[in-house]
Amino acid sequence: LIIVNSLKFKLEMKKKFNLNTKCIYNPLNTKEINKLSKKTIKFKFFTKNHINLISVGRLVYQKDHLTLLKAINEVKDKVKIKLLIIGEGDQKLNLISFIQQNNLEKIVKIKDRIENPFPYILKSEIMILSSRFEGLPNILLEALTLKKFIISSNCPTGPSEILDSGKGGFLFEVENFKDLGKKILTYKRQKAKCNKIKKFAFKRLDRFNFKKNLLEYYNIFNKL
């Protein structure tokens, strides 16, 4: 038996390898996420007069943070924004170099990976995922649990499924920093509409219920 964590991943396995698989969504422990988010932190980078963005993930080719930085550089004169990136990886020096070359030090901060990113996500306004590919990105589910707006690349697989093909957040073309920049500006202009989109996405989190999906695993193992 092969288990995958998204319906689109299931289709890809059938299409590319002619394999039948079972989809079980990632179990999302919302109670634990909310509990961890309440931890007090000293963090004064985000301010009320900026749109505060956050991105959490390894600083590697897959996550494509460079596209995110290019988008920030594109819109920095059109909207007051701040971006926190949490993660470590082999692309860190390249990202720091881009930040310095484009004078983004005051609005972009990179913080090394930490065990509990949830207090930082709680303080943000938008979670951005710029990946080239994923499975089913947990970070989007965790950000939605904390009621954050999502802007994500429309990469295979997962983001479009989590966001109901754009009904629960903005999707931009993979590696297209101009498209991402436009989505950030759209959020600024249409905050009321975006709040409705965010509420819709939050309600749709039931699909990832912790107990429900763990029970599916349990039932499978019982049969085996």
Side-chain angles (χ1 to χ4, degrees), residues 63-81:
K63 303 296 183 179
D64 194 19
H65 288 94
L66 188 58
T67 286
L68 172 53
L69 292 181
K70 288 179 179 178
I72 296 300
N73 193 49
E74 183 83 0
V75 302
K76 65 183 179 183
D77 297 324
K78 301 173 184 177
V79 59
K80 288 186 175 181
I81 49 175

Side-chain angles (χ1 to χ4, degrees), residues 169-184:
F170 290 161
L171 294 165
F172 67 92
E173 183 183 348
V174 175
E175 297 186 49
N176 190 332
F177 70 91
K178 288 186 179 293
D179 190 17
L180 173 53
K182 288 178 181 177
K183 295 297 190 297
I184 294 171

Side-chain angles (χ1 to χ4, degrees), residues 6-65:
S6 75
L7 293 173
K8 290 194 175 181
F9 197 0
K10 179 180 175 71
L11 291 173
E12 288 291 312
M13 293 291 279
K14 183 65 177 177
K15 179 180 176 182
K16 293 184 178 180
F17 306 107
N18 196 30
L19 289 172
N20 293 317
T21 61
K22 179 174 178 57
C23 174
I24 302 178
Y25 282 133
N26 296 348
L28 181 66
N29 193 337
T30 56
K31 288 184 178 179
E32 183 67 11
I33 292 168
N34 279 299
K35 178 182 176 182
L36 290 171
S37 73
K38 299 300 191 296
K39 182 179 178 181
T40 302
I41 57 172
K42 294 181 179 179
F43 186 68
K44 297 181 179 179
F45 179 65
F46 287 154
T47 60
K48 290 183 179 180
N49 62 333
H50 287 80
I51 295 177
N52 298 308
L53 316 175
I54 191 167
S55 180
V56 181
R58 292 170 295 122
L59 309 183
V60 295
Y61 172 84
Q62 174 199 346
K63 303 296 183 179
D64 194 19
H65 288 94

